[in-house]
Amino acid sequence: RAALRVHPDRAEPAARDEATRRFQVLGRAYAVLSDAERRAVYDEQGTVQEEDEGEELRAERDWQEHWRLLFKKITIKDIEDFEKAYKDSEEELDDIKAAYVDFEGDMDKIMESVLCAEYADEPRIRKIIQGAIDSGELPAYKAFVKESKQKMNARKRRAEKEAREAEKTREELGLGDDESDLKALIQSRNKDRQKEMDNFLVQLEAKYGSNSKKGGKKTPAKKGKK
């Protein structure tokens, strides 16, 4: 979690040197603590050998490779398994309520914020929110209860356009539905996927990377102004 927060690729240009230094320190700590012999020395003496420091902090180190050693590669199956476990869970329920309060009922922003949310999930998400409003758990924000048909239709059109573009890309590349074809599609759109993953990591960091209770979950939704 700490590595996610200070990864140099996510830092502003002016802060990249400091982020790199912090990331290197984390790499050094992980390298020592994940090695049984070196950890035993540290536990006993409370120090790290100087040669270890030079090895772990050398400037020419391939930090991308080191990052991969710290965290396993995320596969399509990993994402699918996470989505299955996440949807309709208590965690998702808390996230939906928190997003509703954070964005004061703006469904555009709620749908963008909740993990794994697709347009097809909107009726389910709206039902969850409406149930919480009816029970008095959530405030009835005007942006939600009186959302215009025009705004709803605009959101639907955007989702349909994205679906058409995805299907068109598949057709242009001659891709089918098996796993190898899916991998080829991901590789061909690497830049877009990288941007999506960055946004995903930002959301994960916001959920799990803070010092708040329950691993950084958003605080329970509180009643706000109507």
Side-chain angles (χ1 to χ4, degrees):
R1 293 171 186 169
L4 285 175
R5 291 198 299 271
V6 302
H7 194 284
D9 290 346
R10 300 182 55 212
E12 295 294 332
R16 192 156 294 161
D17 289 344
E18 177 63 14
T20 299
R21 187 189 70 80
R22 290 177 177 270
F23 186 73
Q24 289 172 349
V25 170
L26 285 170
R28 175 189 174 197
Y30 183 88
V32 172
L33 298 178
S34 61
D35 184 287
E37 293 183 4
R38 294 165 74 183
R39 178 164 189 158
V41 172
Y42 175 76
D43 289 341
E44 180 180 349
Q45 302 178 2
T47 59
V48 178
Q49 296 178 4
E50 292 183 2
E51 57 267 26
D52 287 339
E53 181 176 352
E55 178 184 353
E56 297 304 328
L57 298 181
R58 66 182 188 273
E60 67 273 15
R61 184 185 183 104
D62 187 342
W63 289 103
Q64 183 175 359
E65 179 182 351
H66 187 62
W67 175 264
R68 181 54 59 206
L69 292 175
L70 292 177
F71 302 100
K72 73 171 186 175
K73 185 176 182 180
I74 301 299
T75 66
I76 295 171
K77 186 176 184 303
D78 290 331
I79 296 174
E80 291 175 344
D81 290 345
F82 174 83
E83 183 174 352
K84 289 178 182 178
Y86 177 75
K87 287 189 174 181
D88 293 315
S89 67
E90 287 296 321
E91 184 177 13
E92 185 198 39
L93 181 62
D94 290 342
D95 289 346
I96 291 172
K97 293 176 182 178
Y100 174 80
V101 172
D102 288 345
F103 301 116
E104 297 187 346
D106 188 327
M107 279 300 294
D108 285 348
K109 295 179 180 178
I110 292 170
M111 294 300 295
E112 292 174 359
S113 173
V114 176
L115 293 176
C116 304
E118 300 175 353
Y119 180 73
D121 295 306
E122 181 170 337
R124 179 177 63 86
I125 291 175
R126 292 191 71 95
K127 184 177 180 180
I128 290 172
I129 294 173
Q130 188 61 57
I133 292 173
D134 293 342
S135 68
E137 184 179 357
L138 292 177
Y141 288 121
K142 181 178 179 180
F144 178 82
V145 297
K146 294 186 177 181
E147 184 179 35
S148 68
K149 291 291 185 181
Q150 182 179 7
K151 187 177 180 183
M152 291 182 184
N153 290 334
R155 188 163 55 249
K156 180 180 179 180
R157 287 194 297 271
R158 287 196 300 272
E160 291 174 343
K161 180 181 178 182
E162 291 173 0
R164 288 195 300 270
E165 291 175 348
E167 183 60 29
K168 182 179 179 181
T169 299
R170 290 179 65 87
E171 292 175 355
E172 290 175 348
L173 296 175
L175 302 179
D177 295 322
D178 60 39
E179 186 174 354
S180 61
D181 287 337
L182 184 55
K183 288 180 179 178
L185 176 61
I186 291 174
Q187 291 173 354
S188 72
R189 304 186 66 184
N190 184 57
K191 291 183 179 180
D192 290 341
R193 282 306 222 179
Q194 183 61 51
K195 182 178 179 180
E196 292 173 5
M197 181 57 70
D198 287 344
N199 291 337
F200 184 70
L201 290 175
V202 168
Q203 293 183 52
L204 286 181
E205 181 185 355
K207 283 172 59 60
Y208 301 113
S210 69
N211 293 323
S212 60
K213 296 181 179 179
K214 296 184 180 180
K217 274 190 178 181
K218 296 175 181 176
T219 55
K222 295 181 179 179
K223 291 187 177 182
K225 60 183 180 180
K226 293 184 180 181

PDB file of all heavy atoms in Angstrom, residues 73-95:
ATOM      1  N   LYS A  73       1.813 -10.173 -11.189  1.00  0.00           N
ATOM      2  CA  LYS A  73       1.120  -9.627 -12.340  1.00  0.00           C
ATOM      3  C   LYS A  73      -0.376  -9.904 -12.222  1.00  0.00           C
ATOM      4  O   LYS A  73      -0.796 -11.003 -11.868  1.00  0.00           O
ATOM      5  CB  LYS A  73       1.651 -10.260 -13.625  1.00  0.00           C
ATOM      6  CG  LYS A  73       1.069  -9.656 -14.899  1.00  0.00           C
ATOM      7  CD  LYS A  73       1.727 -10.268 -16.122  1.00  0.00           C
ATOM      8  CE  LYS A  73       1.189  -9.634 -17.400  1.00  0.00           C
ATOM      9  NZ  LYS A  73       1.822 -10.223 -18.599  1.00  0.00           N
ATOM     10  N   ILE A  74      -1.189  -8.882 -12.480  1.00  0.00           N
ATOM     11  CA  ILE A  74      -2.632  -9.038 -12.419  1.00  0.00           C
ATOM     12  C   ILE A  74      -3.138  -9.642 -13.725  1.00  0.00           C
ATOM     13  O   ILE A  74      -2.851  -9.134 -14.809  1.00  0.00           O
ATOM     14  CB  ILE A  74      -3.322  -7.680 -12.188  1.00  0.00           C
ATOM     15  CG1 ILE A  74      -2.833  -7.047 -10.887  1.00  0.00           C
ATOM     16  CG2 ILE A  74      -4.834  -7.842 -12.152  1.00  0.00           C
ATOM     17  CD1 ILE A  74      -3.132  -7.865  -9.659  1.00  0.00           C
ATOM     18  N   THR A  75      -3.869 -10.742 -13.629  1.00  0.00           N
ATOM     19  CA  THR A  75      -4.399 -11.409 -14.815  1.00  0.00           C
ATOM     20  C   THR A  75      -5.864 -11.055 -15.021  1.00  0.00           C
ATOM     21  O   THR A  75      -6.524 -10.488 -14.134  1.00  0.00           O
ATOM     22  CB  THR A  75      -4.274 -12.936 -14.675  1.00  0.00           C
ATOM     23  OG1 THR A  75      -5.140 -13.378 -13.610  1.00  0.00           O
ATOM     24  CG2 THR A  75      -2.844 -13.345 -14.355  1.00  0.00           C
ATOM     25  N   ILE A  76      -6.376 -11.406 -16.188  1.00  0.00           N
ATOM     26  CA  ILE A  76      -7.788 -11.182 -16.475  1.00  0.00           C
ATOM     27  C   ILE A  76      -8.650 -11.933 -15.478  1.00  0.00           C
ATOM     28  O   ILE A  76      -9.658 -11.425 -14.990  1.00  0.00           O
ATOM     29  CB  ILE A  76      -8.115 -11.640 -17.912  1.00  0.00           C
ATOM     30  CG1 ILE A  76      -7.356 -10.769 -18.917  1.00  0.00           C
ATOM     31  CG2 ILE A  76      -9.610 -11.577 -18.181  1.00  0.00           C
ATOM     32  CD1 ILE A  76      -7.431 -11.280 -20.331  1.00  0.00           C
ATOM     33  N   LYS A  77      -8.244 -13.139 -15.141  1.00  0.00           N
ATOM     34  CA  LYS A  77      -9.005 -13.943 -14.182  1.00  0.00           C
ATOM     35  C   LYS A  77      -9.025 -13.281 -12.804  1.00  0.00           C
ATOM     36  O   LYS A  77     -10.049 -13.316 -12.108  1.00  0.00           O
ATOM     37  CB  LYS A  77      -8.419 -15.344 -14.066  1.00  0.00           C
ATOM     38  CG  LYS A  77      -9.259 -16.294 -13.196  1.00  0.00           C
ATOM     39  CD  LYS A  77      -8.685 -17.693 -13.195  1.00  0.00           C
ATOM     40  CE  LYS A  77      -9.606 -18.637 -12.411  1.00  0.00           C
ATOM     41  NZ  LYS A  77      -9.842 -18.213 -11.035  1.00  0.00           N
ATOM     42  N   ASP A  78      -7.903 -12.672 -12.410  1.00  0.00           N
ATOM     43  CA  ASP A  78      -7.857 -11.974 -11.121  1.00  0.00           C
ATOM     44  C   ASP A  78      -8.912 -10.864 -11.077  1.00  0.00           C
ATOM     45  O   ASP A  78      -9.618 -10.690 -10.076  1.00  0.00           O
ATOM     46  CB  ASP A  78      -6.472 -11.361 -10.891  1.00  0.00           C
ATOM     47  CG  ASP A  78      -5.414 -12.412 -10.637  1.00  0.00           C
ATOM     48  OD1 ASP A  78      -5.758 -13.476 -10.119  1.00  0.00           O
ATOM     49  OD2 ASP A  78      -4.245 -12.157 -10.978  1.00  0.00           O
ATOM     50  N   ILE A  79      -9.004 -10.111 -12.167  1.00  0.00           N
ATOM     51  CA  ILE A  79      -9.963  -9.009 -12.232  1.00  0.00           C
ATOM     52  C   ILE A  79     -11.389  -9.538 -12.212  1.00  0.00           C
ATOM     53  O   ILE A  79     -12.264  -9.005 -11.518  1.00  0.00           O
ATOM     54  CB  ILE A  79      -9.715  -8.155 -13.488  1.00  0.00           C
ATOM     55  CG1 ILE A  79      -8.335  -7.499 -13.408  1.00  0.00           C
ATOM     56  CG2 ILE A  79     -10.802  -7.096 -13.651  1.00  0.00           C
ATOM     57  CD1 ILE A  79      -7.940  -6.748 -14.651  1.00  0.00           C
ATOM     58  N   GLU A  80     -11.629 -10.610 -12.977  1.00  0.00           N
ATOM     59  CA  GLU A  80     -12.973 -11.194 -13.014  1.00  0.00           C
ATOM     60  C   GLU A  80     -13.372 -11.741 -11.647  1.00  0.00           C
ATOM     61  O   GLU A  80     -14.513 -11.572 -11.208  1.00  0.00           O
ATOM     62  CB  GLU A  80     -13.028 -12.301 -14.069  1.00  0.00           C
ATOM     63  CG  GLU A  80     -12.919 -11.791 -15.497  1.00  0.00           C
ATOM     64  CD  GLU A  80     -12.850 -12.914 -16.508  1.00  0.00           C
ATOM     65  OE1 GLU A  80     -12.585 -14.081 -16.087  1.00  0.00           O
ATOM     66  OE2 GLU A  80     -13.066 -12.656 -17.703  1.00  0.00           O
ATOM     67  N   ASP A  81     -12.425 -12.408 -10.969  1.00  0.00           N
ATOM     68  CA  ASP A  81     -12.707 -12.957  -9.642  1.00  0.00           C
ATOM     69  C   ASP A  81     -13.000 -11.839  -8.636  1.00  0.00           C
ATOM     70  O   ASP A  81     -13.895 -11.962  -7.794  1.00  0.00           O
ATOM     71  CB  ASP A  81     -11.528 -13.807  -9.149  1.00  0.00           C
ATOM     72  CG  ASP A  81     -11.389 -15.106  -9.920  1.00  0.00           C
ATOM     73  OD1 ASP A  81     -12.347 -15.481 -10.623  1.00  0.00           O
ATOM     74  OD2 ASP A  81     -10.315 -15.738  -9.831  1.00  0.00           O
ATOM     75  N   PHE A  82     -12.223 -10.751  -8.732  1.00  0.00           N
ATOM     76  CA  PHE A  82     -12.461  -9.613  -7.837  1.00  0.00           C
ATOM     77  C   PHE A  82     -13.847  -9.031  -8.071  1.00  0.00           C
ATOM     78  O   PHE A  82     -14.576  -8.727  -7.124  1.00  0.00           O
ATOM     79  CB  PHE A  82     -11.394  -8.545  -8.052  1.00  0.00           C
ATOM     80  CG  PHE A  82     -11.651  -7.280  -7.277  1.00  0.00           C
ATOM     81  CD1 PHE A  82     -11.275  -7.182  -5.950  1.00  0.00           C
ATOM     82  CD2 PHE A  82     -12.295  -6.200  -7.869  1.00  0.00           C
ATOM     83  CE1 PHE A  82     -11.518  -6.022  -5.218  1.00  0.00           C
ATOM     84  CE2 PHE A  82     -12.546  -5.048  -7.156  1.00  0.00           C
ATOM     85  CZ  PHE A  82     -12.157  -4.963  -5.823  1.00  0.00           C
ATOM     86  N   GLU A  83     -14.207  -8.879  -9.343  1.00  0.00           N
ATOM     87  CA  GLU A  83     -15.504  -8.290  -9.674  1.00  0.00           C
ATOM     88  C   GLU A  83     -16.639  -9.149  -9.137  1.00  0.00           C
ATOM     89  O   GLU A  83     -17.623  -8.633  -8.578  1.00  0.00           O
ATOM     90  CB  GLU A  83     -15.630  -8.136 -11.191  1.00  0.00           C
ATOM     91  CG  GLU A  83     -16.925  -7.471 -11.631  1.00  0.00           C
ATOM     92  CD  GLU A  83     -16.971  -7.201 -13.124  1.00  0.00           C
ATOM     93  OE1 GLU A  83     -15.944  -7.392 -13.793  1.00  0.00           O
ATOM     94  OE2 GLU A  83     -18.054  -6.805 -13.611  1.00  0.00           O
ATOM     95  N   LYS A  84     -16.531 -10.474  -9.288  1.00  0.00           N
ATOM     96  CA  LYS A  84     -17.578 -11.370  -8.805  1.00  0.00           C
ATOM     97  C   LYS A  84     -17.731 -11.280  -7.290  1.00  0.00           C
ATOM     98  O   LYS A  84     -18.849 -11.282  -6.763  1.00  0.00           O
ATOM     99  CB  LYS A  84     -17.262 -12.809  -9.212  1.00  0.00           C
ATOM    100  CG  LYS A  84     -17.420 -13.076 -10.705  1.00  0.00           C
ATOM    101  CD  LYS A  84     -17.031 -14.511 -11.031  1.00  0.00           C
ATOM    102  CE  LYS A  84     -17.150 -14.772 -12.529  1.00  0.00           C
ATOM    103  NZ  LYS A  84     -16.728 -16.164 -12.866  1.00  0.00           N
ATOM    104  N   ALA A  85     -16.600 -11.212  -6.599  1.00  0.00           N
ATOM    105  CA  ALA A  85     -16.643 -11.151  -5.139  1.00  0.00           C
ATOM    106  C   ALA A  85     -17.101  -9.780  -4.644  1.00  0.00           C
ATOM    107  O   ALA A  85     -17.737  -9.670  -3.587  1.00  0.00           O
ATOM    108  CB  ALA A  85     -15.267 -11.486  -4.561  1.00  0.00           C
ATOM    109  N   TYR A  86     -16.811  -8.746  -5.412  1.00  0.00           N
ATOM    110  CA  TYR A  86     -17.087  -7.377  -4.982  1.00  0.00           C
ATOM    111  C   TYR A  86     -18.555  -6.996  -5.167  1.00  0.00           C
ATOM    112  O   TYR A  86     -19.172  -6.410  -4.268  1.00  0.00           O
ATOM    113  CB  TYR A  86     -16.194  -6.423  -5.754  1.00  0.00           C
ATOM    114  CG  TYR A  86     -16.431  -4.958  -5.460  1.00  0.00           C
ATOM    115  CD1 TYR A  86     -15.993  -4.386  -4.265  1.00  0.00           C
ATOM    116  CD2 TYR A  86     -17.100  -4.146  -6.373  1.00  0.00           C
ATOM    117  CE1 TYR A  86     -16.202  -3.049  -3.990  1.00  0.00           C
ATOM    118  CE2 TYR A  86     -17.316  -2.804  -6.116  1.00  0.00           C
ATOM    119  CZ  TYR A  86     -16.871  -2.261  -4.931  1.00  0.00           C
ATOM    120  OH  TYR A  86     -17.097  -0.930  -4.662  1.00  0.00           O
ATOM    121  N   LYS A  87     -19.107  -7.345  -6.319  1.00  0.00           N
ATOM    122  CA  LYS A  87     -20.480  -6.928  -6.604  1.00  0.00           C
ATOM    123  C   LYS A  87     -21.466  -7.613  -5.654  1.00  0.00           C
ATOM    124  O   LYS A  87     -21.360  -8.803  -5.378  1.00  0.00           O
ATOM    125  CB  LYS A  87     -20.836  -7.234  -8.056  1.00  0.00           C
ATOM    126  CG  LYS A  87     -20.159  -6.284  -9.038  1.00  0.00           C
ATOM    127  CD  LYS A  87     -20.665  -6.444 -10.452  1.00  0.00           C
ATOM    128  CE  LYS A  87     -20.063  -5.389 -11.368  1.00  0.00           C
ATOM    129  NZ  LYS A  87     -20.548  -5.498 -12.755  1.00  0.00           N
ATOM    130  N   ASP A  88     -22.395  -6.841  -5.152  1.00  0.00           N
ATOM    131  CA  ASP A  88     -23.410  -7.287  -4.201  1.00  0.00           C
ATOM    132  C   ASP A  88     -22.824  -7.635  -2.829  1.00  0.00           C
ATOM    133  O   ASP A  88     -23.467  -8.321  -2.027  1.00  0.00           O
ATOM    134  CB  ASP A  88     -24.189  -8.499  -4.739  1.00  0.00           C
ATOM    135  CG  ASP A  88     -25.045  -8.137  -5.950  1.00  0.00           C
ATOM    136  OD1 ASP A  88     -25.717  -7.094  -5.896  1.00  0.00           O
ATOM    137  OD2 ASP A  88     -25.031  -8.894  -6.934  1.00  0.00           O
ATOM    138  N   SER A  89     -21.618  -7.179  -2.576  1.00  0.00           N
ATOM    139  CA  SER A  89     -21.000  -7.411  -1.275  1.00  0.00           C
ATOM    140  C   SER A  89     -21.267  -6.225  -0.351  1.00  0.00           C
ATOM    141  O   SER A  89     -21.710  -5.162  -0.780  1.00  0.00           O
ATOM    142  CB  SER A  89     -19.490  -7.601  -1.430  1.00  0.00           C
ATOM    143  OG  SER A  89     -18.875  -6.390  -1.852  1.00  0.00           O
ATOM    144  N   GLU A  90     -20.991  -6.418   0.949  1.00  0.00           N
ATOM    145  CA  GLU A  90     -21.120  -5.327   1.899  1.00  0.00           C
ATOM    146  C   GLU A  90     -20.151  -4.199   1.553  1.00  0.00           C
ATOM    147  O   GLU A  90     -20.449  -3.013   1.754  1.00  0.00           O
ATOM    148  CB  GLU A  90     -20.847  -5.829   3.315  1.00  0.00           C
ATOM    149  CG  GLU A  90     -21.952  -6.686   3.897  1.00  0.00           C
ATOM    150  CD  GLU A  90     -23.250  -5.912   4.063  1.00  0.00           C
ATOM    151  OE1 GLU A  90     -23.180  -4.727   4.444  1.00  0.00           O
ATOM    152  OE2 GLU A  90     -24.323  -6.480   3.817  1.00  0.00           O
ATOM    153  N   GLU A  91     -18.995  -4.570   1.042  1.00  0.00           N
ATOM    154  CA  GLU A  91     -18.002  -3.572   0.653  1.00  0.00           C
ATOM    155  C   GLU A  91     -18.534  -2.669  -0.451  1.00  0.00           C
ATOM    156  O   GLU A  91     -18.404  -1.444  -0.404  1.00  0.00           O
ATOM    157  CB  GLU A  91     -16.723  -4.278   0.195  1.00  0.00           C
ATOM    158  CG  GLU A  91     -15.582  -3.334  -0.136  1.00  0.00           C
ATOM    159  CD  GLU A  91     -14.319  -4.078  -0.523  1.00  0.00           C
ATOM    160  OE1 GLU A  91     -14.389  -5.294  -0.763  1.00  0.00           O
ATOM    161  OE2 GLU A  91     -13.264  -3.422  -0.596  1.00  0.00           O
ATOM    162  N   GLU A  92     -19.147  -3.277  -1.470  1.00  0.00           N
ATOM    163  CA  GLU A  92     -19.715  -2.474  -2.553  1.00  0.00           C
ATOM    164  C   GLU A  92     -20.848  -1.603  -2.020  1.00  0.00           C
ATOM    165  O   GLU A  92     -20.976  -0.434  -2.407  1.00  0.00           O
ATOM    166  CB  GLU A  92     -20.230  -3.376  -3.677  1.00  0.00           C
ATOM    167  CG  GLU A  92     -20.727  -2.552  -4.868  1.00  0.00           C
ATOM    168  CD  GLU A  92     -21.629  -3.325  -5.806  1.00  0.00           C
ATOM    169  OE1 GLU A  92     -22.458  -4.124  -5.316  1.00  0.00           O
ATOM    170  OE2 GLU A  92     -21.542  -3.116  -7.024  1.00  0.00           O
ATOM    171  N   LEU A  93     -21.677  -2.163  -1.142  1.00  0.00           N
ATOM    172  CA  LEU A  93     -22.783  -1.411  -0.577  1.00  0.00           C
ATOM    173  C   LEU A  93     -22.282  -0.156   0.136  1.00  0.00           C
ATOM    174  O   LEU A  93     -22.814   0.949  -0.055  1.00  0.00           O
ATOM    175  CB  LEU A  93     -23.559  -2.291   0.398  1.00  0.00           C
ATOM    176  CG  LEU A  93     -24.788  -1.668   1.067  1.00  0.00           C
ATOM    177  CD1 LEU A  93     -25.833  -1.293   0.032  1.00  0.00           C
ATOM    178  CD2 LEU A  93     -25.377  -2.632   2.094  1.00  0.00           C
ATOM    179  N   ASP A  94     -21.219  -0.309   0.930  1.00  0.00           N
ATOM    180  CA  ASP A  94     -20.641   0.842   1.628  1.00  0.00           C
ATOM    181  C   ASP A  94     -20.087   1.860   0.637  1.00  0.00           C
ATOM    182  O   ASP A  94     -20.221   3.073   0.829  1.00  0.00           O
ATOM    183  CB  ASP A  94     -19.524   0.380   2.566  1.00  0.00           C
ATOM    184  CG  ASP A  94     -20.057  -0.395   3.762  1.00  0.00           C
ATOM    185  OD1 ASP A  94     -21.258  -0.286   4.052  1.00  0.00           O
ATOM    186  OD2 ASP A  94     -19.262  -1.114   4.396  1.00  0.00           O
ATOM    187  N   ASP A  95     -19.452   1.366  -0.424  1.00  0.00           N
ATOM    188  CA  ASP A  95     -18.859   2.264  -1.423  1.00  0.00           C
ATOM    189  C   ASP A  95     -19.926   3.057  -2.167  1.00  0.00           C
ATOM    190  O   ASP A  95     -19.754   4.247  -2.463  1.00  0.00           O
ATOM    191  CB  ASP A  95     -18.025   1.467  -2.424  1.00  0.00           C
ATOM    192  CG  ASP A  95     -16.749   0.922  -1.814  1.00  0.00           C
ATOM    193  OD1 ASP A  95     -16.373   1.371  -0.717  1.00  0.00           O
ATOM    194  OD2 ASP A  95     -16.123   0.036  -2.439  1.00  0.00           O
TER     195      ASP A  95
END
